[in-house]
Amino acid sequence: MSKPKILILGGGYGGIMSAVRLQKELGSDEAEITLVNKHNYHYQTTWLHENAAGTLHHDKTRIMIDNIIDMNKVNFVQDSVVEIKKDEKRVILENAELTYDYLIIALGSDPETFGIQGLKENAFSIRSINSVRKIREHIDYSFARYNNEGQKDELITIIVGGAGFTGIEFVGELADRVPELCREYDIPREKVRVVNIEAAPTVLPGFDEELVEYAINNLERRGIEFLVNTPIKECHPDGVVLANGDEIKASTIVWTGGVRGNHLVEEAGFETMRGRVKVDKDLRMPGYDYIFVAGDCALIIDEAANRPYPPTAQIAIQQAYTIGRNIKALMNGGKMEEFKPDIKGTVASLGKGEAIGKVGNKKLFGATASAMKKVIDNRYLFLIGGVPMVIKKGKLKLF
């Protein structure tokens, strides 16, 4: 009798942790586990804003997959998913075709543009190692051009669309990076504009008001401008047009205003909301007992708040644990368990040594919150690679 085939699509938090958990839950004689990922590395999505600003090199953020998974227990296929044929239990890749008995869809997200004209074509997005490398290089090049091309203000104007977690964390890193660029390229700091534009009435919508006020005051003091309650209407190569008709010229526009589930999920014929599947309580695809969904592709309702949980790394990691146990139970006729998110807290960095956060009922500010952020990041590295991974990739200096 052949071993059941478990296929994992995507090497982000949900996918890579599913592979790590399954290789621990199952013996090599119990199942054939295959992980498919576009790159031969996994990366810390929660560090990409630092790479984009140029405050952390991207090599620190990426981890080779063969340093995480046991290649004797998990087959790794470096390829891109083209199509999921759900009723045929097949997945089409660019260079191959795979079959499965159990499927884990953890393909991550696509940017959500909300129909804003020109956004997809003209704005950068913080979503991969390659995308953030382009942002960093573009910002550096724009500053280098300033004194060589007539000191055009738009060359040193950076627009960040969206003031959620990614947007706030990115402008926090820019607040650190801009003074360095000014010194390097002989540009007065007061000439540079970093404008964070948010359609909602406040930055970090839904976050604690006292923490939000601290973040705004901290970032404004360091030169960040905020435009709230101000939707972007159009995005052009040289700037944006706001809903009130005002135009801001800028050579760098970075969109952080939201994500939707990977388009491949919708294209496979699954019922989705903004590309995300409202999964059953055991994280299975409704109507498909052998398909599980994790991370950005999974929609889970917070019944107490009557709204979806945000697709965070914390939740994706927890989902992987549940999926690992449930696939083992499914294979052995055991009892499936419900997924219940255990939200331990939320921390947003504001640059070097600065952050805000809430852990349990305790609010954290400044250096204390920044240290907690590093503890959270180091804990994840420990989960995927133990102490050696923390030493190799971790942020060991807490203060």
Side-chain angles (χ1 to χ4, degrees):
M1 185 176 176
S2 61
K3 294 184 289 187
K5 296 178 179 179
I6 303 171
L7 180 58
I8 306 167
L9 304 181
Y13 290 107
I16 203 75
M17 187 56 77
S18 291
V20 168
R21 296 311 307 165
L22 283 167
Q23 72 185 14
K24 292 182 179 179
E25 293 281 353
L26 302 171
S28 55
D29 59 335
E30 292 183 82
E32 180 183 320
I33 306 168
T34 301
L35 170 67
V36 176
N37 194 51
K38 183 177 181 180
H39 304 289
N40 63 349
Y41 56 83
H42 163 74
Y43 55 84
Q44 289 257 56
T45 307
T46 53
W47 290 2
L48 289 177
H49 62 282
E50 299 177 60
N51 308 144
T55 53
L56 181 72
H57 196 275
H58 55 263
D59 279 344
K60 186 78 173 176
T61 300
R62 60 181 170 186
I63 307 164
M64 304 309 290
I65 285 176
D66 61 7
N67 288 339
I68 303 173
I69 62 173
D70 184 344
M71 292 296 200
N72 294 315
K73 291 185 175 181
V74 179
N75 305 314
F76 173 60
V77 177
Q78 185 179 343
D79 208 338
S80 296
V81 179
V82 174
E83 185 180 2
I84 301 169
K85 291 186 174 290
K86 62 185 190 307
D87 297 316
E88 301 171 27
K89 292 190 174 183
R90 289 192 300 136
V91 172
I92 311 301
L93 310 179
E94 282 188 357
N95 302 297
E97 182 178 312
L98 298 173
T99 59
Y100 60 85
D101 296 297
Y102 304 98
L103 179 66
I104 301 171
I105 299 174
L107 287 166
S109 63
D110 293 332
E112 175 61 271
T113 62
F114 299 104
I116 299 171
Q117 184 181 331
L119 195 63
K120 186 177 180 181
E121 296 80 10
N122 299 311
F124 294 100
S125 61
I126 297 175
R127 57 191 309 264
S128 68
I129 292 291
N130 289 331
S131 73
V132 296
R133 186 160 39 196
K134 283 173 65 178
I135 295 170
R136 176 182 58 79
E137 291 173 352
H138 177 82
I139 291 173
D140 281 13
Y141 182 51
S142 295
F143 273 70
R145 290 169 58 196
Y146 179 74
N147 282 320
N148 294 299
E149 297 184 17
Q151 297 187 337
K152 298 174 183 175
D153 289 341
E154 58 263 33
L155 287 172
I156 52 173
T157 299
I158 302 169
I159 291 174
V160 179
F165 265 72
T166 303
I168 287 297
E169 291 192 319
F170 180 47
V171 297
E173 296 301 319
L174 287 174
D176 289 338
R177 178 65 175 147
V178 165
E180 296 174 356
L181 290 169
C182 289
R183 286 192 294 271
E184 184 172 350
Y185 296 109
D186 299 318
I187 300 170
R189 172 61 184 90
E190 61 271 16
K191 293 278 189 181
V192 179
R193 293 185 70 193
V194 179
V195 187
N196 192 194
I197 304 174
E198 170 58 50
T202 179
V203 308
L204 294 170
F207 211 56
D208 180 88
E209 289 184 11
E210 185 182 4
L211 295 173
V212 170
E213 184 180 1
Y214 178 92
I216 293 173
N217 291 339
N218 178 284
L219 293 168
E220 285 184 334
R221 190 171 64 248
R222 293 156 63 203
I224 306 300
E225 301 174 41
F226 290 100
L227 292 176
V228 297
N229 211 15
T230 307
I232 294 174
K233 181 182 177 184
E234 299 172 12
C235 179
H236 302 290
D238 60 349
V240 298
V241 178
L242 307 178
N244 62 7
D246 290 350
E247 187 172 359
I248 303 175
K249 294 287 187 181
S251 69
T252 304
I253 305 160
V254 181
W255 177 249
T256 69
V259 296
R260 57 184 293 118
N262 191 292
H263 63 279
L264 290 167
V265 178
E266 202 165 10
E267 290 170 6
F270 297 116
E271 187 176 335
T272 65
M273 296 171 61
R274 287 177 58 189
R276 302 170 68 195
V277 176
K278 188 178 180 182
V279 293
D280 291 336
K281 291 186 182 297
D282 55 16
L283 298 178
R284 284 188 287 185
M285 181 80 69
Y288 294 87
D289 289 347
Y290 49 86
I291 300 179
F292 293 81
V293 190
D296 294 325
C297 297
L299 180 69
I300 299 168
I301 302 297
D302 179 353
E303 294 177 359
N306 196 30
R307 63 171 181 258
Y309 283 102
T312 62
Q314 181 179 183
I315 288 179
I317 293 163
Q318 293 178 14
Q319 287 170 338
Y321 277 76
T322 300
I323 288 171
R325 291 190 290 266
N326 278 349
I327 286 183
K328 183 177 182 178
L330 202 56
M331 289 171 55
N332 298 321
K335 186 180 179 181
M336 305 284 281
E337 67 177 66
E338 289 186 11
F339 174 68
K340 295 179 180 177
D342 178 18
I343 309 302
K344 300 181 184 303
T346 308
V347 182
S349 66
L350 304 174
K352 186 176 181 180
E354 282 286 353
I356 53 169
K358 196 168 185 181
V359 178
N361 293 320
K362 187 174 179 60
K363 298 178 187 180
L364 303 177
F365 302 85
T368 305
S370 179
M372 178 57 70
K373 172 79 168 170
K374 292 172 184 175
V375 168
I376 293 168
D377 292 340
N378 289 341
R379 178 180 178 273
Y380 172 67
L381 292 171
F382 179 79
L383 292 176
I384 61 172
V387 173
M389 186 67 75
V390 177
I391 293 172
K392 184 178 181 181
K393 293 288 185 177
K395 295 180 177 179
L396 303 179
K397 187 177 180 181
L398 298 184
F399 293 96

